[in-house]
């Protein structure tokens, strides 16, 4: 989302978040709308169950039975769930794969978290005017983010964090940001305010520029989970990171 789009939408989003949550949704929706929502949810759940179910017989090894392993943890501000179909006799291999998977996702969760004081994101956000040394995977995600910013003509922008902070501060005061405040904050936004240097160093070129990888870290975590399971020989699985799905 670009800075202009966020400016136009944040008021409604902040107001909605203050007034409601997922548990309160049924109180807000009309009966007819809620009925449609319930029907759609049931259909979605049936589709997911059908897709994520394991065949009684392993397609890779005919004659061997197939079982399903499920697990979930709270990471990156959401619930991350996994379902893996595995053949009888591969329990130890599965245990090793799952342990590696969760260790990797927990690493991504803190390393790319804008709220974690020890994260690579915080290192970058507090680094001006000196470059920050970060891990290779975070460097790659930032580089990909800059690339996607170009592809989307600025619609995807990891430097939007100062604008988000401005709206949060205004919400606490129960006011709206002034046009002058918004104009001032937007001076720090844009991928041109980030410099990728050698040896996994990143520099921000404006004192107020700060990044947030929340729009891309979850997808990267799913990719890493897929990679790990495949490397351990598992090909039939589902990964769900708060709606970022791999089937």
């Amino acid at each position: 989302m670009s800075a202009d789009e966020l400016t136009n939408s944040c008021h409604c989003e902040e107001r909605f978040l203050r007034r409601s949550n997922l548990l309160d949704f049924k109180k807000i929706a009309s009966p007819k709308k809620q009925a449609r929502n319930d029907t759609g949810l049931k259909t979605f759940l049936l589709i997911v169950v059908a897709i994520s179910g394991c065949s009684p017989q392993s397609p890779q090894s005919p004659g061997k039975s197939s079982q399903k392993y499920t697990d979930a943890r709270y990471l990156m501000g959401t619930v991350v769930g996994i379902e893996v179909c595995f053949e009888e006799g591969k329990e130890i291999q599965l245990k090793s794969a799952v342990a590696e998977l969760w260790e990797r996702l927990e690493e991504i969760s803190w390393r790319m978290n804008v709220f974690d004081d020890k994260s690579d994101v915080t290192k970058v956000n507090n680094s001006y005017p000196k470059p920050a040394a970060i891990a290779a995977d975070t460097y790659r995600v930032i580089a990909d983010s800059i690339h996607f910013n170009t592809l989307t003509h600025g619609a995807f922008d990891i430097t939007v964090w100062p604008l988000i902070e401005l709206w949060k501060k205004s919400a606490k005061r129960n006011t709206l940001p002034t046009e002058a405040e918004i104009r001032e904050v937007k001076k720090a936004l844009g991928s041109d305010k980030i410099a990728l240097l050698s040896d996994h160093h990143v520099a921000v070129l404006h004192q107020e520029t700060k990044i947030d990888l929340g729009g891309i870290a979850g997808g990267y975590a799913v990719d890493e989970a897929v990679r790990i399971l495949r490397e351990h020989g598992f090909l039939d699985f589902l990964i769900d990171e708060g709606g970022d799905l791999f089937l």
Side-chain angles (χ1 to χ4, degrees):
M1 180 178 290
S2 67
D4 291 330
E5 291 170 330
L6 185 65
T7 300
N8 294 330
S9 66
C10 271
H11 178 217
C12 294
E13 292 174 354
E14 290 283 355
R15 182 173 58 191
F16 176 78
L17 290 173
R18 290 200 303 270
R19 290 183 179 179
S20 65
N21 55 41
L22 291 175
L23 297 178
D24 294 329
F25 181 75
K26 290 186 178 181
K27 299 178 184 178
I28 300 172
S30 66
K32 289 184 179 180
K33 185 175 181 181
Q34 186 58 46
R36 292 195 299 270
N37 289 335
D38 290 343
T39 301
L41 178 60
K42 290 176 182 177
T43 302
F44 171 76
L45 290 175
L46 286 173
I47 292 173
V48 171
V49 169
I51 293 175
S52 61
C54 296
S55 172
Q57 296 294 322
S58 171
Q60 295 173 309
S61 303
K64 288 189 176 182
S65 62
S66 180
Q67 304 175 54
K68 182 168 71 174
Y69 170 87
T70 63
D71 196 2
R73 297 188 185 182
Y74 189 81
L75 294 170
M76 292 175 281
T78 189
V79 176
V80 181
I82 65 172
E83 296 184 4
V84 184
C85 297
F86 65 99
E87 299 174 4
E88 182 181 2
K90 289 193 174 182
E91 290 82 2
I92 295 178
Q93 187 175 344
L94 175 65
K95 182 178 180 181
S96 176
V98 170
E100 182 180 344
L101 182 152
W102 287 127
E103 182 179 0
R104 180 66 178 125
L105 264 57
E106 288 173 359
E107 181 181 36
I108 294 171
S109 179
W110 73 260
R111 181 175 287 166
M112 302 186 189
N113 188 344
V114 69
F115 298 107
D116 193 315
D117 292 338
K118 298 180 181 179
S119 72
D120 283 345
V121 172
T122 299
K123 288 181 181 179
V124 172
N125 289 346
N126 295 338
S127 65
Y128 183 87
K130 297 180 180 180
I134 59 176
D137 53 357
T138 309
Y139 185 92
R140 175 188 169 189
V141 170
I142 293 175
D144 287 344
S145 299
I146 294 174
H147 176 63
F148 294 143
N149 179 264
T150 302
L151 288 179
T152 60
H153 304 286
F156 182 80
D157 189 353
I158 61 172
T159 67
V160 77
W161 185 247
L163 193 58
I164 294 175
E165 285 189 311
L166 174 62
W167 278 94
K168 287 185 175 182
K169 291 176 182 178
S170 298
K172 291 180 179 179
R173 300 194 304 261
N174 200 28
T175 63
L176 294 176
T178 66
E179 292 185 5
E181 287 176 324
I182 293 173
R183 284 196 302 269
E184 186 63 26
V185 167
K186 288 170 66 175
K187 293 178 182 178
L189 273 54
S191 61
D192 60 324
K193 307 298 191 302
I194 305 173
L196 298 176
L197 308 177
S198 60
D199 298 324
H200 305 128
H201 282 68
V202 175
V204 292
L205 307 180
H206 188 286
Q207 186 174 358
E208 301 302 324
T209 298
K210 298 184 187 300
I211 65 172
D212 175 17
L213 299 180
I216 191 173
Y220 177 71
V222 171
D223 289 344
E224 284 294 276
V226 171
R227 175 187 63 79
I228 291 169
L229 288 174
R230 284 177 172 173
E231 287 180 353
H232 284 266
F234 298 100
L235 305 177
D236 189 3
F237 52 81
L238 178 149
I239 309 293
D240 179 4
E241 191 275 337
D244 285 327
L245 292 170
F246 183 93
L247 297 173

